[in-house]
Amino acid sequence: MQEKLDQIKLDALAALEGIDNKETLDAWQVKYLGRSSTIMDVFKSLGTLSQEEKPLVGKAANLVKIALETASGDKENQIKQQRISQALVSEKIDITLPGRRAVSGGLHPTTQTLREIYRVFGDMGFQISLSREVETDQYNFQMLNFPPYHPARDMQDTFFLRSDEDRGDDPLMLRTHTSPGQIHAMLEHTRIYPDNPPPMRIILPGMCYRYEQITARSEIQFNQVEGLAVGKGITFGDLKGTLINFARRMFGQDANTRFRASHFPFTEPSAEMDVSCFLCGGNGCSVCKGAGWLEILGCGMVHPTVLKNGGFDPEVYSGFAFGMGPERITMMRHHIEDIRYFWANDLRFLEQF
Ligand code: DAH
């Protein structure tokens, strides 16, 4: 029996010798250590041996099995090591190659304009305030002095959040302009300072939504920057001084401005401010459509009713407000002819800024 066991061991080790990969090693393990291997047959036959032989053969067979297992483990390690050294040679990384430059993103052109606007008004003491994008009819229109059926509502076609039947008395909508932020901000201010409120100067940037046909000049979603200053003795002169300074910082010290009378329900008097066309200097070109002027923003003195709705006494307080579209300003500055580019996510456009 000992001879047979020695032979089993010799055969197995000889077969193991030439093996140099995992697959043949697996096959070897099945053949020499598996359930129907010759060494396992020896274990299975132990029951037929005499009481004296049994422990002797069992022990000898066990030694053979352990020797085979050890040899197979060593072989497995050897194969692994071989694979690693091969990989080290074949997958060598050339660390002397110059690295690939990471593509760095940039700020969206509207964001760049917004940040410039923040800087200019920040320097003039305005704080940035944010207001909600979902509004009620009350705030978006009524408290800004647009009663129901006021014709000025027609200029701001609205996305309502509920169907006609479910709208109720105070419909929810996506804000059509940033002006309702004026009411929220004034109410918060006068809530904090119920008596003798100190002056406030804020800008309110943010997204607005109108149910409009998308064309080269109008989008259903766009930014606005609203401005509001309220205090004692604020005049139209303050409005003009602030906005002329803004125009010069934004468009260059040579920028000329003019104010045209206009109408907004929440300001009285109301105006629109134009800036001289920076492309042609006012002579007339394709950007200004021959006018020499570009319309930049709407503005006016806060209507007494609006001041009252914000918690201010219009007999004591006055204020001015303005609203502008940063996409429109960006279009003018960069000679962009189609507002749809701003949301198209086309890198060929975005990478230019
Ligand atoms: N809310 C106006 C609009 O969307 C813009 C505007 C005009 C805002 C005059 C103002 C303002 O604060 O005084 O058309």
Side-chain angles (χ1 to χ4, degrees), residues 146 155-156 176-179 182 210 222 224-227 264 266-267 270-271 297-301 320-324:
F146 290 78
M155 306 202 350
Q156 304 192 1
T176 57
H177 53 171
T178 43
S179 304
Q182 288 189 29
R210 289 191 197 173
F222 52 93
Q224 281 192 345
V225 178
E226 190 84 11
F264 302 101
F266 40 89
T267 45
S270 306
L297 51 80
C299 57
M301 300 305 289
F320 65 81
F322 54 87
M324 64 183 86

Side-chain angles (χ1 to χ4, degrees), residues 6 15 30 64 79 92 94 97 100 110-111 120 123 138 143 183 186 195 216 236 238 248 264 275 299 305 327 334:
D6 287 344
V30 171
V64 170
I79 291 171
K92 205 165 168 184
D94 183 356
L97 269 178
R100 290 200 194 95
T110 308
T111 306
V120 174
D123 287 350
Q138 186 77 14
M143 288 169 93
I183 304 284
M186 283 192 284
D195 308 312
F236 201 87
D238 296 315
R248 290 201 182 131
F264 302 101
V275 57
C299 57
T305 304
E327 278 92 2
H334 296 295

Side-chain angles (χ1 to χ4, degrees), residues 20-51:
D20 62 355
N21 64 69
K22 182 85 173 68
E23 290 70 35
T24 31
L25 179 61
D26 288 344
W28 180 91
Q29 279 167 340
V30 171
K31 184 166 177 199
Y32 292 99
L33 287 166
R35 213 176 302 189
S36 39
S37 57
T38 38
I39 187 73
M40 286 306 172
D41 288 343
V42 174
F43 284 112
K44 281 179 211 157
S45 67
L46 285 180
T48 64
L49 300 180
S50 68
Q51 287 300 333

